């Protein structure tokens, strides 16, 4: 969650992915539980928690593709804003 806050506050990246082993309760409780609080404070945050398992590769691929699309849109918006500031 610290990386997500840093990435959004410093505008370092448009998307943060958290990859963790399936069933990792400490990580799930902290990162997933805090996600709503952080995305409420930073609405531009794109956060994707991924739990690794032997099955469900298609589901993971689909979720990543969806979030990459959102991150691409955010990057285009950021680029357009930078062009307007420069002009």
């Amino acid at each position: 969650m610290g990386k997500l806050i840093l990435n959004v506050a410093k505008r370092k990246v448009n998307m943060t992915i958290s990859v963790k082993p399936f069933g990792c309760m400490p990580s799930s409780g902290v990162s997933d539980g805090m996600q709503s609080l952080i995305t409420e404070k930073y609405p531009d945050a794109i956060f994707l928690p991924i739990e690794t398992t032997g099955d469900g590769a298609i589901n993971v691929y689909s979720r990543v593709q969806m979030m990459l699309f959102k991150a691409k849109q955010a990057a285009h918006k950021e680029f357009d804003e930078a062009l307007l500031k420069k002009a």
Side-chain angles (χ1 to χ4, degrees):
M1 292 285 66
K3 285 285 189 182
L4 173 62
I5 294 169
L6 178 69
N7 289 340
V8 174
K10 301 285 185 179
R11 297 186 67 138
K12 295 180 87 170
V13 297
N14 290 311
M15 180 173 80
T16 304
I17 298 177
S18 172
V19 180
K20 57 193 167 220
F22 178 72
C24 181
M25 291 308 289
S27 177
S28 295
V30 173
S31 66
D32 297 350
M34 299 279 300
Q35 178 183 352
S36 61
L37 176 68
I38 296 192
T39 54
E40 182 179 313
K41 185 171 181 170
Y42 300 100
D44 292 337
I46 300 174
F47 178 69
L48 177 62
I50 297 288
E51 293 181 347
T52 58
T53 61
D55 57 331
I58 298 297
N59 183 32
V60 169
Y61 180 76
S62 175
R63 291 179 62 211
V64 170
Q65 288 291 0
M66 180 179 61
M67 289 300 175
L68 281 173
F69 177 75
K70 289 175 93 174
K72 184 178 178 181
Q73 287 180 318
H76 281 291
K77 179 182 174 190
E78 183 180 344
F79 181 74
D80 291 340
E81 289 171 359
L83 287 178
L84 288 174
K85 284 182 183 178
K86 186 167 177 120

